[in-house]
Structures are given as C-alpha cells and as structure tokens.
Amino acid sequence: MSSAELISALRDAHQAHLCAQLQNEDHWQALMAQASDSLGAVPLGKLVDSDSLTTVVDQWLQQALSAQGLQTVVSDVSKAVWEAAEKDPATVGELLSEDHFEAILEQVLKLQTLREKAIHAAMSHPLVSEMVSEMLYTGIKNFLLEENALAKLPGVSSVMKMGRKSMVGKAMGGMEESIRDYLRKNIRVTLRTGEQWLNKQLTNERIEQLARDGYQRVAPLKPANYLKLVPAGTIDEVVSQGCAIGDETARLDYTRRLVSVGIHAAVQSLSDMPLQTLLDGMKISEDQVRQITAPALARGATVLIEQGVLEPFIQWVLDDFYQSEACKAAIEKING
C-alpha cells in the first residue's frame, strides 16, 4: 500500500471512529470523568485569565454585540412563553412562597433612607402637584355647592329664599380663579405636609402590616388573568425597543467599566475554589452533571451527523494532520 493510500485509510478510519465516539454516551461520560480527574482539584483562578477574558468581553460589547439580529427570535420566544403563561393555572402564591416573600420584605424594610427619598421625589413631581391641587379644588367646590355653604354667607341666604338657587353656582364661578390661585401658591406647603405625614405613617410596622395584607390578597390570584389584558402587539414593540436600548447600553463606557469590574471580582472570588468545591456548594455532584449532560451531547452529535454537518467538520480537522508533511514523513518512514 502506498503512503498516500495508507494516509487516506487512516484518516477515514479515524473519522469513522470519532463519529461513533461522539454519538456514544459512554464516551462523553469517560471524557467528563477524565476532565474532572485532571481539573477537579485545580483552583478555578488558575484556569481563567481575568484580564484576557475582560478584553474579549469589552471588545465584544464595543464592536460586535447586537441584540437586534435576534429580534425576531426574541419576539417569537417571548410570545410563545407569554401565550403559555396566559393559560397556566399557577397562582402568585405558588410563584412566590410566603417564606420568600418574608425574606424580601425583611430586606425592603432596611431601605428606610431610600424609601424617604422616593417619597420626597414622588411628592415633588409636578404631576403630583397638579393632581393634588385639582383634588383639593374639586373637594372645596363640591363642599360649597352640595353642602350649601355659600347659602350661609350674608346676602346669599336671602337669594336662596327667593328661589334663585342658580345664583349660588354663579357665585361659585366667581370664586373659582381665587381658589385655584390660592391652591397654586400653597400647594408646596400642602405637599410637604403630606410628605411628612407619609413618612410618619409608613413605619416599618405599618409597612409590614400593609405588605402582608397585600400578599394575602394577591397570593390566590392567577397572573394568567392579568396577562390576557395586555394589548396585542405589545411584545413585539417591547422587544424592539429593548434590543435597541440593549445595544446602546452595551457600548457605554459605564457598562463596560462595570462588566470589567464584575469579571475581575468573579474570577477573584473563584480563584481559590476548585471545581469540586463549587459543585458541592451548588448541591450537585459530578455524577449528576454527567448523567444529565452525556445523553444530550451524544444525541446532539447524532443530529449533527444526520444533518451532514459534523462529518465535514471532523474531516477538515483531521486533514490538518493527515495532509501535513509531518504525517507523510512518518508514514514514509514506516513504509521504508
């Protein structure tokens, strides 16, 4: 057999061997077991270079990352999940247990300073000022008209006795601008009073009471009933805007700085932790990982081979060696 024929036969046999291996669960089990034996005790910090990883992610965020290319896919997935959620009978209480609710509430109660700032910001908003001013005006107007308060004023009572009640409305109309002007000038003081009242009323004890009462009310409700109220087309619009905002946000120096800090912190936190320790902390064993992953990898390889994708790739990888001068020289040396 010539050197060329031998090389071709070896390459074909190697390719067939690899294709068979990749479809075999036992092969993946053995491969992962070997990787675990080799790397299981090695601290993860020695396997990852945080600077190199940060550089790759930074360049990706700055130049390559775009969610808009997947916009249609994201929309389709979102709508499929949304439609499934609309039909799901799960309740709020099943999605958020009372124990988890209590844990969240405990953390929220610690944010008193943030709560006070949020109340101040809300009460200082112009829309709130206008709303409160209009509410006060409407209340005063209704009181004067419906309770006949104007009828008690000197001169008005005699008009009322004469049966000319329409004059009350006219008198009120004359006072309208004066009342509105007074409310505009004094609304800030009113809102400050409201802010002080809210801060005084919203003690931790009161918030706990309101929150627990609210949880008990919503726990039996089904999110599906409310999801059905969302207008058609909302998901596509939200996904479109979300992808555009995500692209812009990813390229901000602010985002890239935070990502860099996060990567370094993650690597530093994991630096002394071996893989086995990490898995133990996640309450999952290496055997479980292999049992879950190996069948999926084997089936995935079978699908790729059936679609004619994997074999050409394997052939390309093997040709790098079997068509090399090093391989030819080794075979010729054996053949004499």
Side-chain angles (χ1 to χ4, degrees):
M1 182 181 291
S2 68
S3 295
E5 290 174 332
L6 181 56
I7 289 174
S8 179
L10 286 172
R11 185 197 63 185
D12 291 345
H14 196 171
Q15 179 177 329
H17 175 69
L18 284 178
C19 287
Q21 275 190 316
L22 294 176
Q23 297 177 80
N24 189 334
E25 292 184 24
D26 292 338
H27 167 72
W28 289 106
Q29 290 273 10
L31 190 63
M32 287 187 284
Q34 181 62 37
S36 176
D37 291 340
S38 301
L39 303 175
V42 179
L44 294 174
K46 293 185 178 181
L47 304 176
V48 179
D49 182 348
S50 60
D51 290 333
S52 298
L53 181 58
T54 300
T55 300
V56 170
V57 174
D58 181 70
Q59 290 299 312
W60 186 261
L61 291 174
Q62 186 177 4
Q63 300 176 12
L65 180 64
S66 177
Q68 295 189 55
L70 292 173
Q71 183 172 313
T72 302
V73 177
V74 175
S75 291
D76 290 343
V77 171
S78 300
K79 284 186 283 190
V81 173
W82 192 279
E83 289 171 4
E86 285 182 346
K87 302 172 185 175
D88 198 290
T91 64
V92 174
E94 292 172 331
L95 302 177
L96 179 64
S97 70
E98 191 167 356
D99 288 342
H100 291 161
F101 165 77
E102 289 290 342
I104 295 172
L105 177 60
E106 181 181 351
Q107 297 304 314
V108 170
L109 294 176
K110 296 177 181 179
L111 304 177
Q112 181 173 348
T113 300
L114 182 61
R115 183 170 75 232
E116 292 175 354
K117 287 183 177 294
I119 291 174
H120 176 74
M123 297 299 286
S124 301
H125 196 280
L127 183 61
V128 174
S129 299
E130 294 174 15
M131 179 185 70
V132 173
S133 179
E134 187 63 26
M135 289 172 61
L136 290 173
Y137 168 75
T138 301
I140 292 172
K141 181 182 72 173
N142 290 342
F143 169 74
L144 292 176
L145 291 177
E146 295 176 10
E147 298 297 326
N148 288 331
L150 286 174
K152 300 176 182 180
L153 296 176
V156 176
S157 56
S158 58
V159 173
M160 294 288 289
K161 292 176 182 178
M162 294 169 59
R164 300 176 65 183
K165 294 185 179 181
S166 62
M167 292 298 294
V168 177
K170 292 181 179 180
M172 182 62 213
M175 297 173 61
E176 178 176 348
E177 191 54 38
S178 297
I179 295 175
R180 288 190 181 279
D181 184 58
Y182 175 82
L183 291 175
R184 278 195 295 269
K185 291 179 180 178
N186 292 274
I187 193 64
R188 291 300 176 191
V189 175
T190 303
L191 290 175
R192 278 199 297 272
T193 301
E195 180 181 338
Q196 293 168 358
W197 182 87
L198 278 175
N199 285 327
K200 184 178 180 180
Q201 293 297 316
L202 291 180
T203 61
N204 283 354
E205 293 75 13
R206 179 61 171 161
I207 292 174
E208 282 185 274
Q209 178 186 352
L210 293 173
R212 290 190 177 118
D213 179 65
Y215 177 80
Q216 295 301 325
R217 290 174 183 271
V218 302
L221 302 180
K222 297 178 180 179
N225 295 335
Y226 298 91
L227 295 177
K228 294 175 183 176
L229 302 177
V230 177
T234 300
I235 292 179
D236 286 333
E237 294 176 6
V238 171
V239 169
S240 176
Q241 292 299 321
C243 288
I245 294 171
D247 283 0
E248 293 299 323
T249 302
R251 291 175 174 79
L252 295 175
D253 289 340
Y254 170 81
T255 304
R256 292 160 54 205
R257 286 195 299 269
L258 293 186
V259 169
S260 175
V261 171
I263 290 174
H264 280 86
V267 173
Q268 180 64 34
S269 179
L270 294 169
S271 60
D272 298 326
M273 187 183 299
L275 177 60
Q276 184 60 55
T277 303
L278 179 62
L279 291 176
D280 290 343
M282 296 170 65
K283 301 186 185 304
I284 185 170
S285 68
E286 292 183 34
D287 287 339
Q288 288 175 303
V289 172
R290 291 196 289 270
Q291 291 295 329
I292 294 170
T293 309
L297 292 172
R299 178 55 187 160
T302 300
V303 171
L304 292 176
I305 289 174
E306 290 173 348
Q307 296 299 318
V309 174
L310 190 56
E311 284 186 284
F313 177 76
I314 292 175
Q315 184 176 344
W316 175 77
V317 172
L318 295 180
D319 282 347
D320 183 60
F321 171 71
Y322 285 104
Q323 293 182 3
S324 69
E325 292 299 323
C327 179
K328 292 177 183 178
I331 293 299
E332 290 174 355
K333 183 177 180 180
I334 295 173
N335 280 344

